[in-house]
């Protein structure tokens, strides 16, 4: 794709130069033609993305635009504006919905984790004493970061060395020295350490040396293994015997050993930190130091295959997930875990897992090791691998307990956005009933309602055929008398059984919004008894008025209104139509018919439309079904929610006349709880807390008036 883009740009440039040369010897008319041709090429090949979007719109959106115009051509300007307001409210809500879908807790970076390591002193092996203050530090970090400390610590080998410092730089107070050490750990000077003067920093640089970027020094520690005090060992059996030294008789490290540093492992992963602390309490750490051997962390290869070892360490040290570091040699098949993987892949006809499968497996390893940076990096890789062909696999994996809820949300978003091409391909038949029901409930499904109905019927008929094949009496499929071999004609399908299969899906199709209203697919579905209730425009005498009432709200008496989906071709066409009408009828823009009532919330807009059952103590009885955050976390969540409410996207959604405060608040709360790595059900608890705060404030205000 990149090559195509570059070649297109090159051809544009060549054509432009040639046109400029021809213009010097051509007539004015020819010059105008050349300029128009140049503009045409420039707009046609500005970017590949615009080209694809234009191609998609020319093939489908134009037809949809004509269809929606045929519906509203008899409507007044106010009625078309009311429909546009519905779409604008949905567009603003979709922005908040996408933000909530993308929300996840931020993974700590190596800078943040090393700053916490300096604060909590995990696995410190050297004590620096400066002006009576003791600073437990880590030999590997300071030696890699600072030439001064490399020379100093090199002259004081051994665990637990205590070194008193005498610095040449005058007037360096203890807080300044602590800020200097933190800078070596993080590579950043904290804002509250701005008292470090320029001259002082210059003198410190002359005495200690200017360190490299933190990432550079961490990469050096990873690749060189200098001052390594630990080693990752991968084994498939439980009776691993620890060697007496870290080298083989030829001077090379054992094949399964990867040197690393306990301080960095402890800083990045709670799993490794707890493991190292447990070994220290048991006394194993003292024995290893007495034997002058590194701490050997033995990992079961059936849980963590050794072919992912370098990817794991690369993520620990450098915050990146590089699948090219996966060991793909045949030597990885020696362990039981890897052999099991190879056998499983053999049954599927492949000898090597795809990058998507490797990212899924690495994600679970990151979750097991509590290494968020690895898990989120794998989530990003899975999302990059998401295509029409991989969508069913990603959806099924994401919905599993060991899968990623964040990936599952992105896959559902992809399904909603690409529903049209999916519905016209065999990918539709691979979707689960639950996933199809989920996207059909959405206001943001990108397909016309007629395409939605056709997709549901197509999926149901394929499911019915599959059930018939499972029930066929033949022991061998594809025989002369088998259903699979003979094939099934559409007239052979049982409409009763098909209606049962689609009993939960067809009610999610917004029948009143099917265009054109006299479509053959809708009429046939009604004749077959699949659609029990015909659309409203087929009922009564005022069909045109009823058809309009199904699209725009008209107060409490309008029982036919069904909120339309934000189908972008319809939205863009209605917006264009209203703009044309505004030019013709500018004086009517400020008018609003009273029959179109906005969704204006009352004072208690935070309360659910349907009150939730409460216990006798005033506590939500559903709260016991999910973990309740502590008061400090709840306070932070409430503060975050208030901040999000002030965001431009949220304020824009609230300002629109037909916006629903309840739906807006729901999306904001979902974003908050997902940023705090909590289940979506906690959003209900957050809502109840806000209601209690509001009622308490109202009660206090009423009491003060009395």
């Amino acid at each position: 794709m990149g090559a195509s883009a570059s070649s297109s740009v090159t051809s544009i440039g060549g054509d432009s130069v040639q046109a400029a040369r021809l213009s010097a010897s051509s007539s004015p008319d020819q010059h105008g033609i050349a300029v128009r041709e140049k503009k045409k090429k420039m707009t046609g090949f500005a970017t590949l993305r615009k080209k694809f979007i234009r191609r998609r719109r020319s093939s489908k959106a134009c037809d949809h635009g004509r269809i929606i115009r045929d519906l509203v051509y008899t409507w007044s300007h106010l009625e078309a504006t009311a429909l546009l307001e519905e779409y604008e409210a949905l567009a603003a809500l979709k922005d908040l919905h996408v933000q909530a879908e993308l929300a996840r807790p931020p993974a700590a970076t190596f800078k943040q984790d090393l700053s916490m390591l300096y604060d909590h002193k995990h696995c410190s092996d050297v004590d620096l004493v400066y002006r009576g203050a003791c600073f437990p530090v880590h030999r590997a970090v300071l030696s890699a970061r600072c030439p001064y400390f490399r020379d100093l610590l090199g002259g004081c080998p051994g665990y637990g060395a205590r070194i008193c410092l005498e610095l040449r730089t005058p007037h360096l107070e203890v807080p300044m020295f602590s800020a200097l050490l933190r800078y070596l750990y993080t590579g950043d000077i904290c804002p509250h350490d701005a008292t470090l003067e320029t001259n002082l920093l210059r003198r410190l640089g002359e005495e200690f040396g200017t360190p490299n970027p933190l990432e550079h020094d961490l990469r050096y520690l990873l690749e060189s293994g200098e001052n390594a005090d630990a080693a990752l060992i991968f084994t498939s059996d439980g009776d691993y015997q620890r060697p007496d030294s870290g080298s083989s008789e030829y001077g090379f490290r054992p094949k399964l050993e990867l040197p690393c540093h306990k301080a960095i492992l402890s800083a990045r992963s709670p799993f490794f930190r707890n493991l190292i602390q447990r070994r220290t309490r048991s006394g194993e750490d003292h024995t290893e130091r007495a034997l002058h051997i590194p701490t050997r962390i033995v990992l079961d290869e059936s849980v963590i295959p050794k072919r992912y070892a370098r990817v794991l360490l690369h993520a620990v040290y450098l915050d990146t997930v590089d699948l090219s570091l996966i060991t793909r040699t045949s030597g990885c098949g020696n362990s039981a875990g890897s052999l099991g993987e190879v056998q499983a892949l053999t049954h599927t006809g492949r000898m090597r897992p795809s990058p998507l499968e490797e990212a899924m497996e690495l994600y679970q390893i990151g979750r097991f090791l509590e290494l968020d940076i690895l898990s989120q990096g794998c989530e990003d890789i899975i999302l990059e691998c998401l295509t029409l062909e991989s969508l069913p696999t990603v959806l099924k994996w994401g919905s599993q307990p060991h899968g990623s809820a964040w990936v599952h949300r992105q896959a559902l978003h992809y399904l909603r956005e690409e529903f049209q091409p999916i519905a016209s391909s065999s990918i539709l038949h691979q979707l689960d009933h639950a996933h199809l029901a989920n996207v059909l409930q959405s206001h943001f499904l990108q397909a016309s309602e007629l395409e939605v109905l056709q997709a549901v019927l197509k999926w149901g008929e394929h499911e019915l055929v599959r059930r018939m094949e499972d029930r066929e009496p033949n022991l061998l499929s594809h025989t002369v008398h088998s259903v699979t071999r003979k094939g099934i004609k559409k007239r052979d399908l049982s409409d009763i059984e098909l209606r049962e299969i689609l009993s939960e899906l067809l009610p999610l199709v917004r029948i009143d919004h099917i265009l054109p209203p006299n479509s053959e697919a809708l009429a046939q579905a009604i004749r077959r008894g699949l659609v029990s209730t015909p659309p409203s425009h087929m009922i009564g005498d005022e069909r045109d008025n009823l058809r309009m009432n199904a699209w725009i709200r008209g107060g409490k008496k309008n029982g036919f209104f069904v909120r339309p989906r934000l189908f972008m071709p319809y939205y863009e066409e209605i917006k264009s139509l209203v703009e044309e009408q505004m030019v013709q009828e500018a004086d009517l823009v400020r008018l609003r018919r009273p029959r179109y009532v906005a969704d204006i919330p009352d004072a208690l807009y935070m309360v659910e439309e349907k009150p939730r059952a409460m216990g006798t103590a005033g506590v939500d009885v559903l709260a016991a079904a999910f973990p309740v955050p502590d008061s400090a976390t709840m306070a932070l969540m409430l503060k975050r929610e208030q901040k999000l409410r002030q965001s431009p996207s949220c304020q824009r959604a609230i300002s629109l006349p037909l916006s629903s405060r309840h739906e807006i608040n729901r999306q904001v709360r979902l974003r908050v709880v997902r940023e705090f790595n909590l289940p979506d059900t906690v959003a209900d608890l957050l809502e109840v807390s806000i209601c209690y705060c509001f009622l308490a404030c109202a009660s206090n205000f009423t009491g003060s008036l009395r």
Side-chain angles (χ1 to χ4, degrees):
M1 183 176 293
S4 301
S6 61
S7 62
S8 301
V9 173
T10 304
S11 63
I12 294 169
D15 294 340
S16 302
V17 174
Q18 186 177 3
R21 291 176 178 173
L22 291 175
S23 63
S25 59
S26 61
S27 64
D29 294 338
Q30 292 175 337
H31 176 71
I33 295 174
V35 171
R36 286 195 298 271
E37 290 296 325
K38 173 185 174 183
K39 290 184 178 180
K40 184 184 298 184
K41 292 182 180 180
M42 289 288 286
T43 55
F45 294 93
T47 61
L48 288 177
R49 181 182 179 187
K50 291 182 180 179
K51 178 182 177 182
F52 293 150
I53 292 176
R54 185 178 292 107
R55 180 178 299 173
R56 175 184 294 181
R57 290 180 178 177
S58 64
S59 61
K60 289 183 176 292
C62 289
D63 294 337
H64 290 306
R66 178 183 55 80
I67 290 174
I68 192 67
R69 276 186 177 256
D70 291 343
L71 172 70
V72 302
Y73 79 98
T74 59
W75 293 12
S76 68
H77 173 75
L78 292 177
E79 293 164 346
T81 302
L83 179 57
L84 177 61
E85 289 178 346
E86 289 285 352
Y87 282 136
E88 288 178 340
L90 284 173
L93 181 63
K94 183 179 180 180
D95 290 341
L96 299 178
H97 177 76
V98 171
Q99 294 173 15
E101 296 289 88
L102 289 172
R104 60 180 175 182
T109 63
F110 56 69
K111 289 187 177 183
Q112 295 170 331
D113 284 337
L114 289 179
S115 179
M116 296 294 293
L117 177 67
Y118 175 72
D119 290 332
H120 293 93
K121 318 299 183 185
H122 297 302
C123 301
S124 60
D125 50 7
V126 176
D127 290 337
L128 298 181
V129 180
Y130 180 72
R131 292 193 175 187
C134 182
F135 296 91
V137 293
H138 305 84
R139 180 185 299 271
V141 176
L142 293 187
S143 297
R145 295 285 291 144
C146 178
Y148 172 85
F149 285 113
R150 182 184 305 117
D151 298 337
L152 177 66
L153 297 175
C156 302
Y159 175 83
R162 189 178 182 89
I163 305 174
C164 296
L165 297 179
E166 294 292 339
L167 303 181
R168 300 193 308 270
T169 304
H171 311 299
L172 184 63
E173 302 296 334
V174 172
M176 300 295 183
F177 181 74
S178 178
L180 172 64
L181 292 179
R182 184 181 297 277
Y183 168 73
L184 293 178
Y185 274 77
T186 64
D188 296 325
I189 297 178
C190 298
H192 59 269
D193 295 330
T195 54
L196 290 174
E197 301 177 357
T198 304
N199 293 332
L200 181 58
L201 289 174
R202 180 177 54 80
R203 291 194 298 269
L204 290 174
E206 293 174 355
E207 181 171 359
F208 291 95
T210 303
N212 298 313
L214 180 59
E215 182 179 359
H216 176 276
D217 291 334
L218 289 178
R219 184 182 298 274
Y220 170 76
L221 286 177
L222 171 63
E223 296 176 353
S224 67
E226 184 174 303
N227 290 311
D229 55 358
L232 293 183
I233 308 295
F234 293 84
T235 179
S236 58
D237 48 34
D239 49 358
Y240 167 76
Q241 299 295 328
R242 199 175 296 161
D244 293 334
S245 66
S247 301
S248 68
E249 58 180 331
Y250 298 105
F252 297 103
R253 294 189 180 92
K255 184 179 181 181
L256 296 177
E257 181 175 339
L258 287 178
C260 51
H261 304 82
K262 289 191 292 185
I264 296 180
L265 291 181
S266 299
R268 304 311 311 276
S269 167
F271 173 87
F272 285 125
R273 180 167 61 249
N274 295 333
L275 177 62
I276 293 171
Q277 289 177 347
R278 185 166 61 249
R279 292 170 65 92
T280 301
R281 289 192 297 266
S282 66
E284 296 182 41
D285 191 45
H286 300 286
T287 303
E288 291 166 341
R289 285 199 298 269
L291 296 174
H292 301 288
I293 60 175
T295 298
R296 282 169 165 76
I297 301 175
V298 181
L299 301 176
D300 188 353
E301 196 179 351
S302 63
V303 178
I304 305 177
K306 69 179 180 183
R307 61 196 186 97
Y308 295 132
R310 300 191 183 280
V311 182
L312 170 61
L313 286 181
H314 204 265
V316 167
Y317 281 77
L318 300 175
D319 282 356
T320 56
V321 181
D322 187 356
L323 297 185
S324 65
L325 296 175
I326 297 176
T327 305
R328 305 185 187 279
T329 59
S330 59
C332 288
N334 296 332
S335 67
S338 297
L339 181 59
E341 295 172 4
V342 171
Q343 291 175 346
L345 292 172
T346 303
H347 291 299
T348 62
R350 292 198 314 272
M351 292 303 296
R352 177 181 295 178
S354 66
L356 177 63
E357 294 168 331
E358 291 171 335
M360 290 177 175
E361 189 172 9
L362 269 170
Y363 168 83
Q364 299 175 48
I365 293 174
R367 290 282 301 273
F368 178 78
L369 298 178
E370 301 176 77
L371 187 58
D372 294 338
I373 199 69
L374 176 60
S375 298
Q376 290 194 3
C378 292
E379 287 177 337
D380 296 336
I381 293 175
I382 294 171
L383 197 58
E384 292 175 1
C385 297
L386 185 59
T387 60
L388 292 181
E389 291 73 20
S390 64
L391 177 62
T393 301
V394 174
L395 280 172
K396 292 178 182 179
W397 176 81
S399 61
Q400 298 298 320
H402 60 267
S404 166
W406 185 84
V407 168
H408 189 246
R409 294 198 300 268
Q410 310 319 308
L412 287 174
H413 175 76
Y414 183 88
L415 175 57
R416 289 190 295 267
E417 293 294 318
E418 302 295 331
F419 191 80
Q420 285 180 320
I422 291 173
S424 59
S425 67
S426 60
I427 304 298
L428 176 69
H429 304 148
Q430 304 177 35
L431 298 178
D432 292 341
H433 180 279
H435 295 141
L436 197 56
N438 183 289
V439 297
L440 291 180
Q441 294 173 4
S442 173
H443 294 310
F444 315 121
L445 185 63
Q446 291 306 297
S448 68
E449 217 59 39
L450 178 59
E451 292 171 329
V452 173
L453 175 64
Q454 293 171 336
V456 170
L457 296 177
K458 180 181 176 182
W459 182 90
E461 290 172 352
H462 182 272
E463 180 68 14
L464 177 57
V465 171
R466 187 189 62 80
R467 292 186 182 184
M468 294 175 64
E469 292 176 350
D470 292 341
R471 292 197 304 262
E472 66 177 355
N474 305 90
L475 298 178
L476 298 176
S477 61
H478 300 284
T479 58
V480 177
H481 303 287
S482 67
V483 174
T484 307
R485 180 65 178 269
K486 291 170 29 179
I488 300 177
K489 297 182 179 180
K490 198 169 185 178
R491 63 173 179 266
D492 298 332
L493 299 178
S494 171
D495 292 337
I496 297 177
E497 190 172 359
L498 181 60
R499 186 166 59 247
E500 178 186 355
I501 293 174
L502 300 178
S503 60
E504 297 179 358
L505 296 179
L506 282 175
L508 301 177
V509 180
R510 305 179 188 187
I511 302 296
D512 282 310
H513 296 164
I514 292 180
L515 297 178
N518 56 350
S519 62
E520 178 60 26
L522 175 60
Q524 186 177 6
I526 295 175
R527 287 195 301 267
R528 297 172 65 183
L530 302 177
V531 177
S532 57
T533 304
S536 58
H537 66 269
M538 294 185 178
I539 306 174
D541 297 329
E542 301 178 359
R543 297 187 177 182
D544 292 337
N545 189 33
L546 290 174
R547 187 184 309 163
M548 177 187 64
N549 288 341
W551 288 81
I552 56 179
R553 63 186 75 198
K556 297 182 179 179
K557 296 182 180 181
N558 182 13
F560 296 102
F561 172 72
V562 179
R563 197 169 192 183
R565 302 186 198 271
L566 183 65
F567 184 39
M568 296 307 295
Y570 286 180
Y571 175 35
E572 294 171 357
E573 194 65 30
I574 294 298
K575 184 190 297 184
S576 175
L577 177 64
V578 171
E579 290 175 354
E580 294 173 4
Q581 293 177 349
M582 287 174 61
V583 174
Q584 300 173 1
E585 307 176 31
D587 295 336
L588 297 179
V589 175
R590 296 184 299 273
L591 300 179
R592 291 291 184 270
R593 289 175 59 179
R595 54 170 283 162
Y596 304 114
V597 182
D599 186 14
I600 302 176
D602 55 13
L604 294 178
Y605 67 86
M606 286 84 73
V607 184
E608 289 269 10
E609 295 176 358
K610 297 181 180 179
R612 197 178 301 280
M614 307 295 289
T616 56
V619 180
D620 191 345
V621 296
L622 296 179
F626 49 81
V628 180
D630 54 35
S631 57
T633 303
M634 185 64 70
L636 292 175
M637 293 170 64
L638 293 174
K639 183 178 179 180
R640 176 60 175 164
E641 180 179 357
Q642 293 303 319
K643 183 177 180 180
L644 290 177
R645 290 186 190 281
Q646 303 304 319
S647 64
S649 57
C650 187
Q651 290 297 312
R652 175 179 174 272
I654 293 174
S655 65
L656 295 175
L658 298 185
S659 293
S660 170
R661 285 288 187 98
H662 171 71
E663 293 177 340
I664 293 172
N665 294 332
R666 176 67 178 174
Q667 296 305 319
V668 171
R669 295 187 187 109
L670 284 175
R671 179 177 176 179
V672 171
V673 299
R674 288 166 180 171
E675 288 178 351
F676 280 78
N677 200 25
L678 293 170
D680 290 353
T681 48
V682 180
D684 298 330
L685 181 62
L686 189 63
E687 179 179 356
V688 172
S689 300
I690 295 177
C691 292
Y692 283 159
C693 293
F694 181 84
L695 294 175
C697 294
S699 178
N700 294 336
F701 179 74
T702 305
S704 63
L705 292 178
R706 293 178 180 176

